[in-house]
Amino acid sequence: MDQAISFNNKLSRHVLVYILVCSLFLSVCSTIFQLYSDFNDDVATLKQRFVNIENSYLQSLSTSLWDFNEPLVNQQIQGIVNLPDINYAEITTGFGKSYTFGQEEPTTQESAQYSIFYGDNEIGVLTVHANYADIYKKLKQRAWVIIISEFVRTFIVALCIMFIVHWLVTRHIYTITKYSQNLASDNLDKPLILPNRSIANEDELDMLAAAINDMRMTLKSDIVKLEEAENALINLNGELEVKVYDRTEKLAVSNRQLQQSLDDLTLAKDSLVQSEKMASLGQLVAGVAHEVNTPLGICVTSITALKEKLTDLTDAIENENLTKSQLTSTLSLFDEYQQIIERSLNKAVELIRGFKSVAVEQHTDPELNINLAQHVNDVVNTVKTLFKRKKYTINLSVDKELSLITYPSAWNQILTNFLMNSHIHGFEGRDEGEINVCFTEEDNELVLNYSDNGKGIDNHLKKKVFDPFVTTKRGQGGSGLGLNIVFNLVSSKLHGSIQHIDDVQGCHFRVRVPLVKKDRGKPKTIEMVG
């Protein structure tokens, strides 16, 4: 792009337009003021002309009328009408004689009547009419002259200013823009130099160019530091791989002893995945397996340390150099390792129990009478294993005593999909968030209001959020079936309805299903659990 093209850039056009608009406005105001002043002057001149008619013509007209000199009267009245802006004059005598000249028009704006005396006798009346036609005509001519001259002058000034702006500013801005677009890691040695710039008269553009050059040098230095850091990271990764390999070899024997337990857990997980066809249950299995691996890993580590201490103790006994303090310390460590292993195994058993209470077959389980609060707690506690590293606040509001007849697995799937959507989509890139799960009774219906304070649903997806294969994670593991599964469960299995509430922040879903309760002996109260 050459300078001729850059001269026709948006900034220059904007400057030209703004100058023309402002100058046009000022020119119009100046023209209106000048025309108004000229109009007042012309009106004042017209009124002065009436005064001149009274002073110059009445005396001669009285003499002509008294002498009955009609040709002279007609000549004098014609002279009055020939004055500028006078369009009609009439003389009426006391004898009923009338002398007129000109054409009387309905647009008369000024008129005057003068009594004609000869001595002390009134011998007639002079009526004079005038309009502003000639004044308006002259004002139009002046307006056109003023407007054309102002426009030409403004246009020439605007072109000069636009050329100055281009020469002093925009061409250098284009140079800076082109340099910034071409700036890359392989040409950081080339500095930004503005053409035709005087060192003695530096201005803001020179400061901007200097700042970009400083940024270029800083970026170059950062790239060097980054390369050094990458090399150090590669070396560190190599060392870590060696250490991991050594640790893996040491834990191999202990892993064989626990393999049977892990195989049993894997078989249980595979059985549940096979019976539960929904994707979210597979995620729950992975989350629980990950959680179970943590206490089992602690057990493996503790057993390894226990074996090392046992080997040291055996060597000391065989070498007959075992001391009482060494024996006491070793037995104390054995007791501590035993407690750690016991707590870890109990944690794994508890995780598996909670998971088994939630993982019910989706399509074949019958309607059951359940305590809603306990069931919701089991689902939430199981799903929370999938985001243990996050600091989410989950607020549950449900009647602790509410028992109802429903499909437990349907609610498992609904709550799991809601929670996973908040985790994956709503709180993407965040470690904290707030989720509200509220169950209420309204008009013999069970109403679930689920909401979070995440980033919400994009506007273009809100109308089709329950359609299948609608996802923002396509190509990243998202199938777009989560909310469609929820919709089908609510409408087909629970015979209810679901809607998306458009809140200011986050997402909000409301589920309504018919309520079939087990009879209770006392009124229910809604309170917070979880």
Side-chain angles (χ1 to χ4, degrees):
M1 183 181 291
D2 55 16
Q3 290 187 353
I5 296 177
S6 77
F7 179 74
N8 190 25
N9 55 43
K10 292 184 178 180
L11 180 60
S12 299
R13 292 200 300 271
H14 290 169
V15 171
L16 178 61
V17 171
Y18 293 151
I19 292 176
L20 289 176
V21 171
C22 295
S23 300
L24 180 62
F25 175 75
L26 294 176
S27 298
V28 169
C29 294
S30 175
T31 302
I32 292 174
F33 178 77
Q34 186 173 349
L35 293 177
Y36 179 73
S37 177
D38 292 344
F39 174 77
N40 289 336
D41 293 342
D42 290 340
V43 172
T45 302
L46 178 59
K47 292 181 179 180
Q48 182 62 38
R49 192 167 289 120
F50 279 105
V51 175
N52 294 336
I53 291 173
E54 182 180 7
N55 296 332
S56 303
Y57 285 89
L58 289 185
Q59 183 64 36
S60 59
L61 283 172
S62 65
T63 303
S64 300
L65 289 174
W66 185 262
D67 294 338
F68 295 100
N69 189 348
E70 293 185 0
L72 183 57
V73 171
N74 288 328
Q75 184 179 1
Q76 291 172 335
I77 195 172
Q78 183 179 356
I80 294 174
V81 174
N82 288 335
L83 293 173
D85 303 323
I86 305 298
N87 65 320
Y88 177 75
E90 179 183 9
I91 297 176
T92 304
T93 66
F95 304 105
K97 184 68 174 177
S98 177
Y99 302 93
T100 63
F101 189 83
Q103 184 176 0
E104 186 176 8
E105 297 178 357
T107 59
T108 299
Q109 278 118 349
E110 296 286 346
S111 63
Q113 286 186 344
Y114 306 100
S115 297
I116 303 174
F117 291 89
Y118 188 81
D120 295 333
N121 299 318
E122 183 179 353
I123 60 175
V125 176
L126 171 63
T127 303
V128 181
H129 291 175
N131 59 24
Y132 295 160
D134 292 338
I135 295 176
Y136 291 152
K137 184 177 180 180
K138 290 187 289 183
L139 290 178
K140 289 180 181 178
Q141 293 175 350
R142 294 174 191 165
W144 280 112
V145 172
I146 294 173
I147 290 174
I148 292 173
S149 61
E150 288 290 335
F151 177 79
V152 172
R153 184 184 65 182
T154 301
F155 187 76
I156 294 174
V157 172
L159 286 178
C160 294
I161 293 177
M162 187 176 71
F163 177 79
I164 293 172
V165 170
H166 162 71
W167 184 256
L168 296 179
V169 179
T170 55
R171 71 188 185 105
H172 297 303
I173 292 178
Y174 172 73
T175 301
I176 295 173
T177 302
K178 186 176 181 181
Y179 178 84
S180 301
Q181 291 174 343
N182 296 330
L183 189 64
S185 59
D186 57 349
N187 61 355
L188 291 176
D189 294 329
K190 182 181 179 181
L192 171 61
I193 300 176
L194 300 181
N196 301 325
R197 302 294 293 180
S198 175
I199 300 178
N201 298 320
E202 292 186 352
D203 55 16
E204 287 80 1
L205 290 174
D206 297 297
M207 296 171 61
L208 177 59
I212 292 177
N213 285 324
D214 292 341
M215 180 187 68
R216 174 180 60 82
M217 297 304 297
T218 302
L219 183 60
K220 182 178 179 181
S221 176
D222 291 342
I223 291 176
V224 172
K225 293 180 180 178
L226 181 60
E227 291 176 351
E228 294 176 352
E230 288 178 350
N231 294 331
L233 182 60
I234 291 174
N235 295 332
L236 181 60
N237 285 337
E239 296 176 359
L240 289 176
E241 289 178 358
V242 173
K243 292 181 180 180
V244 169
Y245 179 79
D246 293 339
R247 296 287 178 86
T248 303
E249 289 295 328
K250 293 179 180 179
L251 292 174
V253 177
S254 299
N255 285 339
R256 294 191 192 95
Q257 297 176 356
L258 296 173
Q259 188 61 47
Q260 185 62 42
S261 299
L262 291 176
D263 290 342
D264 293 342
L265 180 61
T266 302
L267 291 175
K269 179 191 70 174
D270 293 341
S271 176
L272 289 174
V273 171
Q274 183 63 27
S275 63
E276 178 62 65
K277 300 298 182 180
M278 312 309 295
S280 60
L281 187 55
Q283 295 175 336
L284 289 179
V285 172
V288 171
H290 179 75
E291 286 297 303
V292 171
N293 279 335
T294 299
L296 292 181
I298 294 174
C299 291
V300 170
T301 303
S302 300
I303 290 174
T304 301
L306 187 64
K307 290 180 64 178
E308 292 178 353
K309 292 297 180 181
L310 182 59
T311 301
D312 293 340
L313 182 61
T314 303
D315 293 340
I317 293 174
E318 292 177 352
N319 297 329
E320 298 181 357
N321 57 358
L322 178 65
T323 63
K324 181 179 180 181
S325 60
Q326 181 180 2
L327 178 60
T328 303
S329 175
T330 302
L331 292 177
S332 177
L333 287 175
F334 284 173
D335 182 64
E336 182 179 349
Y337 291 152
Q338 179 267 330
Q339 294 178 9
I340 292 175
I341 294 171
E342 183 179 6
R343 286 196 302 266
S344 299
L345 291 177
N346 288 335
K347 177 65 176 179
V349 170
E350 180 63 24
L351 285 171
I352 295 174
R353 186 207 63 79
F355 176 73
K356 290 175 65 178
S357 68
V358 173
V360 183
E361 167 58 33
Q362 173 79 21
H363 303 291
T364 60
D365 65 319
E367 287 185 297
L368 300 175
N369 179 48
I370 64 170
N371 180 274
L372 184 61
Q374 181 61 43
H375 192 73
V376 170
N377 270 300
D378 286 343
V379 175
V380 171
N381 288 333
T382 301
V383 176
K384 281 197 303 185
T385 61
L386 299 179
F387 31 82
K388 61 174 291 187
R389 293 184 177 86
K390 304 293 183 177
K391 299 178 181 179
Y392 300 152
T393 300
I394 303 179
N395 301 317
L396 302 182
S397 179
V398 60
D399 179 14
K400 286 185 175 180
E401 300 178 359
L402 175 59
S403 296
L404 69 159
I405 299 175
T406 187
Y407 292 96
S409 64
W411 288 110
N412 296 348
Q413 191 70 62
I414 292 170
L415 292 173
T416 299
N417 286 11
F418 279 159
L419 291 168
M420 290 306 300
N421 271 356
S422 296
H423 171 61
I424 296 174
H425 300 285
F427 301 140
E428 183 181 9
R430 293 169 48 180
D431 291 331
E432 297 182 356
E434 183 174 356
I435 298 174
N436 296 296
V437 181
C438 178
F439 283 89
T440 58
E441 292 184 42
E442 297 180 8
D443 300 329
N444 204 30
E445 288 184 330
L446 180 64
V447 180
L448 164 62
N449 280 287
Y450 179 91
S451 63
D452 64 38
N453 64 345
K455 64 181 183 180
I457 300 174
D458 294 341
N459 291 328
H460 68 282
L461 296 178
K462 289 181 179 178
K463 293 184 178 180
K464 51 183 180 179
V465 68
F466 297 114
D467 294 346
F469 308 110
V470 175
T471 179
T472 59
K473 298 291 185 183
R474 193 170 307 282
Q476 304 176 34
S479 64
L481 295 175
L483 290 179
N484 178 255
I485 293 173
V486 172
F487 178 83
N488 292 332
L489 287 173
V490 172
S491 59
S492 300
K493 195 160 189 176
L494 299 179
H495 307 291
S497 63
I498 181 173
Q499 65 179 132
H500 171 250
I501 309 298
D502 196 359
D503 285 346
V504 176
Q505 181 183 8
C507 69
H508 182 184
F509 294 98
R510 180 172 296 153
V511 177
R512 292 179 174 271
V513 299
L515 180 61
V516 181
K517 296 190 297 183
K518 180 182 179 181
D519 293 337
R520 295 181 300 173
K522 56 182 179 179
K524 72 180 185 65
T525 57
I526 301 296
E527 61 182 90
M528 294 296 296
V529 297

